[in-house]
Amino acid sequence: MALVVQKFGGTSVGSVERIQAVAQRVMQTVAAGNQVAVVVSAMGKTTDGLVKLANQISETPSRREMDMLLSTGEQVSIALLSMALQAAGQDALSLTGAQVGIVTEADHTRARILNIRTERIQRHLNDGKVVVVAGFQGISQRIDIDFEITTLGRGGSDTSAVALAAALGADKCEIYTDVPGILTTDPRLVPEAHLIKAITCDEMLELASLGAKVLHPRAVEIARNYGIPLVVRSSWVADPGTHVVAPSRQPKSLEGLELVHPVDAIEFDLDQAKVALLRIPDRPGIAARLFGELADQDLNVDLVIQSIHEGNTNDIAFTVLEANFAKAEAVAAAIAPVLRGDTADSSQAEVFVDRQVAKISIAGAGMIGRPGVAAQMFSTLAEAAVNIQMISTSEVKVSCTIDSSDCDRAISALCNAFQVTCSPLRDASQKSLSPVPEVRGAALDQKQAQIAIRHVPDRPGMAARIFALLAKAGISVDMIIQSQRCRMIGTVATRDIAFTVAQAEAAQAKATVAGIADEMGCGDIVVNDAIAKVSVVGIGMINTPGVAARMFEALAQQRINIQMIATSEIKISCLVAEDDGVRALKAVHDAFKLYGTEKVVVPA
């Protein structure tokens, strides 16, 4: 007998008729010989309505009372669904988050799950009952305070469901929603988007964090860490949906369920060489031309970064395998005069190479939503007197290039800092999906702002101070780019550092770094909130030359200028002007043939 956890969102239980339809679907799963636990959200727009009521009472309602208020929405849903099941002849019981034993931090409105006490729910399941659990909520437990009702924040019901599946050792967790599954992109922006039949947890983490709202990143993080197979399906039809493939399940303690070590591996690669083109023209098509030439030579690039522009020029740097260095350098040297065009002079399009580099990375799904992880990496390297040359970030990895002579010292320092004693082998199941397209999906984030700090002194510890301060302020940073061009300000060598944050946090982020910029000897701080980030994600790009070139060419054909570039092994992200965002998404979606033959219908 299999144990299945099913989660139904607010739209799925938005009316009496829909609740009755959910009851029938649950009973079908029971009839197939399964034990079933169901996690539900509040009905329809109930939570929004409760928030509106609170704001009518107080402009700044207390977070504790908000938890007391918002937790009532799910209680209505679980009671009604239990009644519907009972009326249809299925024994069922509803439990709140507290009753089911979901223990959280004492952090109102954004608590993380510490543990789930499964004795009660397991007893009811063994008695043949369907247990209907309130998502989004739990109860805190601290010795020095009384029990408190807490909520988990946005996406809390997804998180509750996958955490419950992990605690129960469920065979799978099914997430029912109002779309057929995970789509190649947002169908409201690109009607040609189509269903992805299978996707790895790492790919899903990237897409979820880029704004694919079908699954919350915290839920995917738990699935990845505990090996929980996920299925995302439509509430309205019986189609198979999307399978989110998790690594093989390994024995792991449930204590501190959402507070596991954020980093589970320290990775390094000494077989790297860096090529940088400095002061190349800042116009559409430049990146496409460069990486198109590299792709024509069957050269696979690893990290790619393009920093913020200065005047009419920009810098692009990339790394390749040491064995490919000579060919990559030759391509860069040959194309530099072409890129200079009519502006040729000794100060334009300089090629800079370095064969003495190593890439070192921290990896782990626990980095999501934890601003201090990257800052801790930078601080650790600074304390070890290791200077950072390039930075590339993603949801599951932060990578830096450093001098190869510093690699052993960096590994030792990072292992100590993140308490990593060994780096697990990457599970083969993450790469076993067949076929494996180079790009699985595309995403657009139109709610970011770019902040650039000019002329940061080029010495160990500078990035660490900046990002530690942002982390202390609770500001999550997305893309981080350190320029390749080194500028002399007096006798001090400097580089620019740029990063992106949520638009809502841009003013706070600027004020935060302004507090130490003068002390550090930095230049101006520039904010640009008229940007959009377009990204492509796919594990197939790891061994496929030319993916970056195809993306850049698609943007160039639309005359869209790229303002920043950052990559990881499975993601390429470009910043473009806000007005170009949707056009850029459509261009890259089409370039990688992500369109389908069937139109996806999205409920209003």
Side-chain angles (χ1 to χ4, degrees), residues 358-494:
K359 182 178 74 171
I360 190 159
S361 308
I362 56 173
M367 292 189 277
I368 296 169
R370 301 179 193 181
V373 177
Q376 185 179 357
M377 180 187 190
F378 303 152
S379 297
T380 300
L381 293 176
E383 290 168 4
V386 175
N387 202 31
I388 298 169
Q389 299 176 8
M390 293 170 64
I391 300 170
S392 178
T393 59
S394 77
E395 293 304 325
V396 296
K397 186 174 289 189
V398 180
S399 299
C400 300
T401 61
I402 59 176
D403 191 283
S404 57
S405 63
D406 293 333
C407 191
D408 288 345
R409 191 163 73 255
I411 293 169
S412 177
L414 291 173
C415 285
N416 289 333
F418 291 103
Q419 302 176 41
V420 174
T421 56
C422 64
S423 290
L425 293 174
R426 290 302 168 201
D427 194 286
S429 67
Q430 290 284 294
K431 299 181 181 179
S432 65
L433 302 184
S434 181
V436 181
E438 63 266 30
V439 170
R440 191 85 66 180
L444 177 67
D445 187 344
Q446 296 175 293
K447 296 182 179 180
Q448 290 208 340
Q450 177 195 64
I451 298 178
I453 309 174
R454 300 286 192 182
H455 307 151
V456 179
D458 184 33
R459 58 176 180 264
M462 295 295 100
R465 289 190 64 186
I466 292 167
F467 293 104
L469 197 63
L470 291 167
K472 186 177 181 180
I475 298 170
S476 291
V477 176
D478 185 12
M479 297 173 69
I480 301 173
I481 301 293
Q482 179 172 277
S483 70
Q484 288 305 292
R485 197 185 315 180
C486 198
R487 303 173 185 83
M488 298 301 297
I489 304 297
T491 60
V492 178
T494 70

Side-chain angles (χ1 to χ4, degrees), residues 169-184:
D171 294 274
K172 65 179 175 179
C173 180
E174 298 178 337
I175 307 291
Y176 287 89
T177 182
D178 53 6
V179 292
I182 309 301
L183 305 178
T184 52

Side-chain angles (χ1 to χ4, degrees), residues 74-296:
E74 281 71 23
Q75 292 183 47
V76 174
S77 300
I78 61 174
L80 291 176
L81 180 54
S82 295
M83 293 175 191
L85 287 164
Q86 292 163 5
Q90 171 63 52
D91 198 1
L93 176 77
S94 64
L95 295 174
T96 66
Q99 289 172 321
V100 85
I102 298 177
V103 181
T104 76
E105 303 170 298
D107 191 2
H108 289 293
T109 72
R110 58 189 180 198
R112 288 182 178 266
I113 298 173
L114 300 177
N115 200 353
I116 300 180
R117 299 168 181 161
T118 58
E119 297 84 358
R120 182 176 183 182
I121 186 172
Q122 191 66 67
R123 184 173 70 249
H124 292 309
L125 290 170
N126 292 340
D127 290 340
K129 293 184 175 68
V130 169
V131 182
V132 184
V133 179
F136 178 67
Q137 62 182 254
I139 189 168
S140 69
Q141 182 183 15
R142 275 179 38 188
I143 296 174
D144 57 331
I145 62 174
D146 295 329
F147 291 134
E148 290 285 328
I149 291 174
T150 56
T151 63
L152 309 182
R154 191 173 69 84
S157 291
D158 285 353
T159 304
S160 300
V162 183
L164 187 61
L168 291 170
D171 294 274
K172 65 179 175 179
C173 180
E174 298 178 337
I175 307 291
Y176 287 89
T177 182
D178 53 6
V179 292
I182 309 301
L183 305 178
T184 52
T185 195
D186 188 339
R188 292 166 296 188
L189 300 177
V190 184
E192 296 79 14
H194 77 111
L195 181 72
I196 302 171
K197 293 182 179 179
I199 187 171
T200 66
C201 276
D202 281 357
E203 290 171 313
M204 190 65 245
L205 277 169
E206 298 287 8
L207 287 174
S209 299
L210 289 167
K213 298 177 181 178
V214 179
L215 270 178
H216 195 274
R218 282 170 63 184
V220 186
E221 174 187 337
I222 297 169
R224 181 184 185 272
N225 286 338
Y226 289 91
I228 305 300
L230 293 180
V231 183
V232 182
R233 304 178 63 183
S234 169
S235 297
W236 322 123
V237 296
D239 294 344
T242 300
H243 290 260
V244 182
V245 181
S248 299
R249 193 170 301 187
Q250 302 292 332
K252 186 175 289 189
S253 171
L254 291 168
E255 290 297 329
L257 192 148
E258 278 203 276
L259 296 180
V260 295
H261 291 315
V263 173
D264 60 25
I266 307 297
E267 301 172 358
F268 67 94
D269 185 355
L270 286 166
D271 189 22
Q272 294 264 313
K274 179 177 71 174
V275 179
L277 279 82
L278 310 182
R279 291 179 291 273
I280 58 177
D282 183 43
R283 62 172 184 261
I286 294 297
R289 182 74 182 271
L290 169 61
F291 289 96
E293 293 286 347
L294 292 168
D296 288 344

Side-chain angles (χ1 to χ4, degrees), residues 314-333:
N314 213 322
D315 305 336
I316 296 180
F318 60 92
T319 62
V320 295
L321 294 177
E322 171 66 25
N324 294 330
F325 170 75
K327 288 175 67 176
E329 182 184 20
V331 169

